[in-house]
């Protein structure tokens, strides 16, 4: 909160760029993670002793009461809000903007009009009445007092003395109240409290020579903006403290939800179980664990399982099921990453086709290639929409590429591309929409490979690895996306690591046979593969 003699900086919007957000997020992850594995990796998958926050638990199935449902909903709302404040540096609140023709807006406008009409009618009486005006002054006084710090006794006393409602009512009964003087004091006081971004609004209020009704309307409009400024300033002030306490706070909130709703990890269980099967198929022989479950098949390491699970999020199909519960607070961010990645993959596919078909016309011309990349990205913007015709858009992309290339050839006194070559290029670009297109398959495979390397690296949140061959044309975009993704993953592991440990323990080791005694001594259970890292 700002000091009483200080004015808060503008907080109506937090207009920092995504790059700044990624940098701050990277610094936060630096303090949260000291290695590629998070703290939970040091716990044994078969250990039964841990604290409440480090050992997630859930109750047996039971019928939930309405109070329990509402309590879980509040916890989820608080968890989502705290998480958004911590991870989204651009998070801020804005005044509600009701749809123009909505019933709520019509009712609100109707009620407000009735009130202002009554106020105008009272002020136009002879002698004037001040019942509605006094109600407004009382509300304005409470709003001004809400801007003060608890120790601002001098200003509090001054406001209470000037806007003494009992005295104002007595003056109104004797037709001696100075409404204009009170309004002038209110505007001057607002000028002391407001953020610099509201200076122009205060200046307009001081210069407003309209009637009192219009002036009151404007005062309340500016006060609403100041309230939102104060809320956003408070969010900014709380963010560092929330970041320090965010891991324990979010984990505790989720634990309380899990205790009330034992099924709150069902989708997470399915997500990890499927990832174990996928990781078993792709793991190299050198990384196969010597331990086997009841199936007798080699088990993948927990790190490989989780990395495989996180990679799946980049191609998650919501139509086939919701996200894991532990990632619901990052649903919007994951969706944005997924859309960006889809766009980058198509752009990379288009440029690879251009290089393979007419490489001589664009080789050694980085400016032209960059222009083609930006143009392709613009024409394919919104390709995630259900009504977007990707084939048609790719046809337009191929036409524009041919035009740009021909223009470049003409500038260098070379002949234009043959018509047959242009048709072939257009056909190859439009074929990207086919599911088994070799170029598309190649690009998607290397993107998956890149993100596996990103998650396996210990310093990806600071210096992401370079893009693999074939993806150099989108390297900067891919590296930026990699930083955002690994920051999200590291923070998620830090918060929900104990829950993942419990699930992996059950899925990987619960069915293992008891160890045989050796030399009369029973060997302990296998330690977590993450412990040795």
């Amino acid at each position: 909160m700002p000091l009483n003699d200080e004015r808060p900086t503008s907080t109506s919007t937090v207009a920092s760029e995504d790059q700044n957000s990624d940098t701050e997020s990277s610094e936060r992850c630096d303090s949260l993670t000291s290695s590629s594995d998070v703290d939970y990796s040091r716990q044994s998958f078969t250990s039964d002793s841990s604290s409440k926050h480090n050992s997630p638990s859930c109750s047996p199935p039971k019928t939930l009461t309405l109070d329990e449902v509402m309590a879980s909903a509040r916890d989820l709302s608080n968890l989502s809000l705290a998480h958004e404040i911590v991870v989204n540096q651009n998070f801020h609140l804005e005044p509600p903007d009701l749809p123009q023709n909505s019933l709520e807006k019509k009712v609100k406008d109707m009620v407000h009009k009735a009130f202002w009409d009554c106020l105008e009618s009272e002020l136009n009486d002879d002698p004037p009445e001040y019942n509605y005006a006094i109600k407004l002054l009382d509300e304005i006084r409470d709003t001004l007092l809400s801007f003060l710090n608890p120790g601002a006794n001098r200003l509090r006393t001054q406001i209470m003395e000037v806007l003494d409602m009992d005295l104002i009512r007595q003056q109104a009964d004797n037709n001696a109240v100075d409404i204009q003087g009170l309004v002038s004091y209110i505007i001057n006081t607002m000028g002391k409290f407001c953020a610099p971004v509201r200076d122009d609004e205060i200046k307009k209020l001081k210069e407003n020579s309209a009637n009192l009704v219009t002036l009151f309307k404007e005062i309340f409009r500016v006060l609403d903006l100041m309230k939102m400024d104060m809320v956003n300033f408070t969010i900014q002030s709380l963010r560092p403290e929330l970041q320090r306490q965010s891991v324990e706070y979010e984990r505790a909130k989720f634990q309380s939800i899990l205790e009330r709703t034992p099924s709150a990890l069902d989708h997470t269980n399915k997500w990890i179980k499927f990832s174990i099967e996928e990781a078993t198929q792709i793991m190299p022989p050198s990384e196969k664990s010597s331990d086997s479950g009841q199936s007798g098949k080699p088990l993948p390491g927990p790190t490989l399982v989780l990395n495989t699970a996180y990679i799946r999020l980049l191609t998650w199909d919501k139509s086939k099921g919701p996200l894991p519960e532990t990632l619901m607070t990052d649903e919007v961010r994951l969706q944005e990453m997924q859309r960006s990645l889809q766009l980058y993959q198509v752009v990379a596919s288009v440029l690879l086709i251009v290089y393979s078909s007419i490489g001589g016309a664009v080789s050694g011309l980085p400016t032209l290639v960059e222009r083609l990349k930006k143009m392709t990205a613009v024409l394919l913007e919104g390709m995630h929409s259900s009504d977007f015709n990707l084939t048609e858009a790719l046809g337009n992309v191929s036409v524009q590429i041919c035009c740009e290339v021909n223009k470049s050839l003409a500038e260098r006194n070379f002949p234009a591309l043959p018509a047959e070559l242009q048709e072939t290029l257009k056909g190859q670009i439009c074929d990207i929409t086919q599911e088994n297109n070799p170029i598309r398959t190649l690009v998607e495979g290397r993107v998956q490979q890149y993100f596996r390397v990103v998650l396996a690296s210990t310093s990806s949140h600071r210096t992401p690895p370079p893009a693999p061959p074939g993806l150099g044309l989108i390297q900067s975009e891919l590296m930026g996306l990699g930083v955002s993704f690994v920051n999200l993953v590291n923070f998620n592991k830090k918060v929900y690591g104990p829950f993942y440990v419990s699930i992996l323990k059950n899925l990987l080791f619960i069915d293992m046979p008891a160890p045989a005694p050796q030399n009369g001594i029973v060997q302990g259970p296998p330690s977590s593969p993450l412990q040795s890292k």
Side-chain angles (χ1 to χ4, degrees):
M1 300 288 285
L3 298 176
N4 296 312
D5 295 331
E6 295 179 354
R7 301 172 64 193
T9 57
S10 173
T11 56
S12 60
T13 57
V14 185
S16 60
E17 297 294 333
D18 290 342
Q19 185 65 33
N20 293 335
S21 177
D22 285 342
T23 301
E24 294 181 16
S25 180
S26 174
E27 293 172 352
R28 182 172 67 256
C29 284
D30 245 345
S31 65
L32 292 177
T33 56
S34 57
S35 66
S36 60
D37 293 324
V38 291
D39 291 344
Y40 77 87
S41 67
R42 304 185 184 93
Q43 303 176 10
S44 171
F45 278 85
T46 53
S47 173
D48 294 327
S49 60
S50 57
S51 65
K52 177 179 179 182
H53 291 319
N54 289 332
S55 180
S57 62
C58 62
S59 306
K62 63 178 182 178
T63 302
L64 297 179
T65 65
L66 179 60
D67 288 341
E68 289 174 325
V69 173
M70 295 303 294
S72 295
R74 285 194 296 271
D75 282 343
L76 182 59
S77 177
N78 292 337
L79 171 62
S80 301
L81 180 60
H83 183 78
E84 198 66 26
I85 292 174
V86 169
V87 303
N88 184 3
Q89 301 299 319
N90 296 324
F91 176 78
H92 65 282
L93 299 179
E94 295 181 353
D97 186 16
L98 300 176
Q100 189 62 33
N101 296 320
S102 66
L103 177 61
E104 185 177 359
K105 181 172 176 57
K106 290 179 180 179
V107 172
K108 178 181 176 181
D109 291 345
M110 188 182 305
V111 173
H112 284 195
K113 184 178 185 304
F115 180 88
W116 295 120
D117 287 345
C118 291
L119 173 64
E120 187 172 16
S121 176
E122 279 195 347
L123 294 177
N124 289 335
D125 285 345
D126 190 16
E129 296 288 336
Y130 296 102
N131 293 328
Y132 283 98
I134 291 175
K135 291 179 181 178
L136 293 179
L137 291 173
D138 193 14
E139 185 174 344
I140 290 172
R141 183 188 68 174
D142 291 342
T143 301
L144 293 176
L145 292 175
S146 70
F147 293 147
L148 296 175
N149 283 335
N153 297 323
R154 183 179 61 81
L155 278 174
R156 188 180 302 276
T157 301
Q158 183 188 87
I159 293 173
M160 294 295 292
E161 288 178 352
V162 176
L163 297 178
D164 185 340
M165 291 299 108
D166 293 333
L167 178 59
I168 292 175
R169 288 189 183 93
Q170 293 177 10
Q171 292 174 340
D173 292 339
N174 295 286
N175 197 24
V177 62
D178 181 11
I179 291 292
Q180 287 287 358
L182 293 174
V183 168
S184 178
Y185 171 79
I186 289 170
I187 295 173
N188 288 331
T189 305
M190 289 169 61
K192 297 177 182 177
F193 293 160
C194 73
V197 71
R198 304 299 172 201
D199 283 347
D200 290 341
E201 299 283 358
I202 298 298
K203 183 178 179 181
K204 291 178 183 178
L205 289 178
K206 291 180 178 180
E207 296 173 351
N208 195 328
S209 58
N211 58 39
L212 282 175
V213 175
T214 303
L215 193 53
F216 270 121
K217 286 182 182 179
E218 289 300 301
I219 286 175
F220 274 92
R221 182 184 66 82
V222 177
L223 283 175
D224 286 341
L225 295 175
M226 290 173 61
K227 289 178 185 177
M228 200 58 60
D229 293 343
M230 187 60 68
V231 169
N232 287 321
F233 179 83
T234 304
I235 289 174
Q236 284 185 319
S237 302
L238 290 176
R239 181 173 283 120
E241 183 62 27
L242 281 175
Q243 288 174 345
R244 285 190 290 270
Q245 305 293 333
S246 58
V247 172
E248 289 298 325
Y249 176 81
E250 291 190 31
R251 189 184 300 161
K253 282 296 180 184
F254 190 81
Q255 177 65 46
S256 67
I257 295 172
L258 186 61
E259 290 171 353
R260 297 191 191 96
T261 315
S263 61
L265 278 174
D266 285 358
H267 295 298
T268 303
N269 271 281
K270 294 177 183 177
W271 171 57
I272 293 181
K273 184 176 181 180
F274 186 89
S275 299
I276 290 175
E277 299 172 359
E278 185 177 345
T280 302
Q281 297 173 0
I282 66 174
M283 65 176 179
S286 59
E287 293 184 10
K288 291 184 179 180
S289 171
S290 60
D291 302 319
S292 301
Q294 63 178 4
S295 64
K297 296 180 179 180
L299 295 174
T303 301
L304 177 61
V305 172
L306 284 182
N307 286 351
T308 302
Y310 284 119
I311 293 295
R312 286 189 61 218
L313 298 174
L314 295 173
T315 55
W316 192 270
D317 187 355
K318 290 180 63 177
S319 64
K320 295 182 180 179
L323 280 171
E325 296 87 350
T326 55
L327 285 145
M328 286 298 185
T329 51
D330 288 309
E331 183 174 6
V332 174
R333 272 171 290 281
L334 285 171
Q335 188 177 62
E336 291 175 352
M337 290 181 189
Q338 191 179 71
R339 291 174 177 177
S340 297
L341 190 58
Q342 290 173 352
L343 177 62
Y344 298 154
Q345 288 177 163
V346 175
V347 171
S349 300
V350 169
L351 294 179
L352 282 177
I353 291 173
V354 171
Y355 263 92
S356 63
S357 300
I358 53 173
V362 295
S363 60
L365 299 173
T367 304
L368 174 62
V369 174
E370 186 66 22
R371 187 161 68 247
L372 294 180
K373 181 175 76 172
K374 291 181 178 179
M375 179 193 67
T376 302
V378 169
L379 292 176
L380 295 178
E381 191 70 35
M383 58 175 288
H384 59 274
S385 302
S386 57
D387 58 346
F388 188 86
N389 190 328
L390 182 57
T391 303
E392 180 181 342
L394 288 173
N396 294 333
V397 167
S398 63
V399 171
Q400 291 298 321
I401 286 177
C402 290
C403 289
E404 288 293 328
V405 172
N406 286 333
K407 180 181 177 182
S408 174
L409 290 172
E411 291 174 351
R412 291 177 288 151
N413 298 321
F414 288 106
L417 297 174
E420 298 82 2
L421 182 56
Q422 295 186 38
E423 286 299 320
T424 301
L425 180 62
K426 180 178 179 180
Q428 290 178 341
I429 291 177
C430 291
D431 284 346
I432 293 174
T433 57
Q434 297 179 5
E435 184 175 354
N436 296 322
N437 180 269
I439 299 294
R440 173 181 171 178
T441 303
L442 173 68
V443 170
E444 291 177 353
R446 290 187 178 178
V447 166
Q448 296 278 315
Q449 172 191 347
Y450 175 77
F451 278 95
R452 291 185 188 280
V453 173
V454 166
L455 291 184
S457 172
T458 60
S459 59
S460 294
H461 54 289
R462 296 190 302 271
T463 54
L471 300 182
L473 297 172
I474 58 167
Q475 175 164 288
S476 58
E477 292 84 359
L478 207 55
M479 291 174 69
L481 192 59
V483 170
S484 299
F485 184 65
V486 78
N487 287 339
L488 184 151
V489 168
N490 284 344
F491 189 78
N492 183 265
K493 285 182 178 179
K494 192 74 175 178
V495 175
Y496 298 103
F499 300 95
Y500 297 149
V501 166
S502 179
I503 294 172
L504 286 167
K505 172 183 173 182
N506 292 333
L507 293 177
L508 290 175
F509 301 110
I510 197 66
D511 296 317
M512 291 183 62
Q518 297 180 9
N519 299 326
I521 301 176
V522 177
Q523 300 298 317
S527 61
S528 165
L530 292 179
Q531 272 189 303
S532 61
K533 288 188 177 290

